[in-house]
Amino acid sequence: MSFTVIIPARLASTRLPNKPLADLGGKPMIVRVAERAAQAGAAQVIVATDHADIVAACQAHGVDARMTRDDHPSGTDRIAEVAAAIGLPDDAVVVNVQGDEPLIAPALIAATAQLISAEVSMATAAHAIDAVAETFNPNVVKVVLDRAGRALYFSRATIPWHRDGFARAQDELPDGYAPLRHIGLYAFRNDFLQAYPRLEVSPLERIEALEQLRVLWHGVPIAVHVTDEAPAAGVDTPDDLERVRRHFS
């Protein structure tokens, strides 16, 4: 399947200023992310940004970058602008790879893109959780699936709740219980990507602060690729940045 990767990148960051331009082994982080996306077999990789410095850094390393409006409420809105600007057809597959994931597995990107079809307008990914701390951490988003591998619900809460197992103990995971952690990687069919910014924000989205709940609330299915391996963590803090720099050193 042919697909396009569009990487949203804002220069502003409260915890890590100028994060997309952080040096990783001689290249900016945003360039490292684009390189991983290219390894996934994408037909084209484009960075969608609100700042000329990011465009310049990408161009210096041969990465296509496009300026967008600076008032987009989310990365999804930002990539939709670029997908429309380059004239992608309605049935094109567009993958949103976050700009702070320089260690993302190319195979994960490709596998998520492969889930898009005439019946599935959006796809994402998940992996099994094997740690109690992650199971109860509200910063770790969980997802439950139906028998076809499509999302029933995403939540910061512990879902599914193992009633009998957690009634006995909550310091270890019950046998056979492996909740799924959501991975923030999204694929779209372009016609739905263009419709997304016009969808009414859902009450569930506001409560959980999870924009994918808007999609489910409107009755649009989300297919989920479950990977056997937990992906490398992205870069959110100075400690994360040092960890990733060690990888590229």
Side-chain angles (χ1 to χ4, degrees):
M1 175 186 289
S2 175
F3 62 92
T4 294
V5 171
I6 305 180
I7 306 167
R10 294 176 62 249
L11 194 64
S13 173
T14 55
R15 287 184 291 183
L16 203 56
N18 300 327
K19 180 166 65 170
L21 301 180
D23 183 85
L24 298 180
K27 295 180 180 179
M29 183 186 306
I30 192 64
V31 171
R32 293 293 189 185
V33 176
E35 290 175 343
R36 301 290 277 194
Q39 292 169 21
Q44 56 185 333
V45 178
I46 303 171
V47 172
T49 183
D50 62 351
H51 205 284
D53 288 355
I54 294 178
V55 172
C58 289
Q59 291 176 343
H61 291 85
V63 173
D64 189 358
R66 309 294 177 99
M67 286 290 294
T68 67
R69 290 168 23 207
D70 61 4
D71 60 347
H72 284 302
S74 73
T76 306
D77 298 87
R78 193 175 304 281
I79 72 166
E81 179 186 341
V82 169
I86 64 175
L88 290 179
D90 286 348
D91 62 352
V93 178
V94 181
V95 183
N96 179 349
V97 175
Q98 302 301 315
D100 57 4
E101 298 280 353
L103 299 180
I104 190 169
L108 182 62
I109 299 172
T112 303
Q114 294 294 325
L115 294 179
I116 300 298
S117 66
E119 293 75 35
V120 177
S121 300
M122 182 173 172
T124 189
H127 70 88
I129 296 173
D130 59 7
V132 172
E134 288 194 351
T135 302
F136 291 100
N137 184 349
N139 293 317
V140 174
V141 177
K142 275 71 70 173
V143 59
V144 288
L145 310 181
D146 66 12
R147 66 183 298 175
R150 298 179 181 180
L152 289 169
Y153 191 66
F154 297 85
S155 183
R156 298 181 183 279
T158 304
I159 57 171
W161 181 263
H162 199 301
R163 188 196 65 172
D164 295 339
F166 289 145
R168 292 189 295 269
Q170 294 185 21
D171 58 352
E172 61 182 17
L173 296 182
D175 290 343
Y177 173 74
L180 293 175
R181 177 177 187 164
H182 176 236
I183 300 169
L185 170 70
Y186 300 100
F188 303 88
R189 200 172 60 227
N190 188 42
D191 54 357
F192 177 68
L193 177 62
Q194 297 306 316
Y196 173 86
R198 300 189 297 274
L199 293 178
E200 178 187 355
V201 175
S202 78
L204 295 173
E205 176 185 359
R206 289 193 178 98
I207 292 169
E208 295 254 22
L210 298 173
E211 68 176 83
Q212 62 268 38
L213 290 177
R214 183 188 316 180
V215 178
L216 296 183
W217 192 72
H218 284 277
V220 177
I222 301 176
V224 181
H225 169 71
V226 179
T227 177
D228 293 332
E229 297 183 5
V235 178
D236 291 319
T237 67
D239 287 344
D240 292 335
L241 181 57
E242 289 308 310
R243 168 181 51 80
V244 174
R245 279 176 169 161
R246 287 193 295 271
H247 174 88
F248 285 103
S249 64

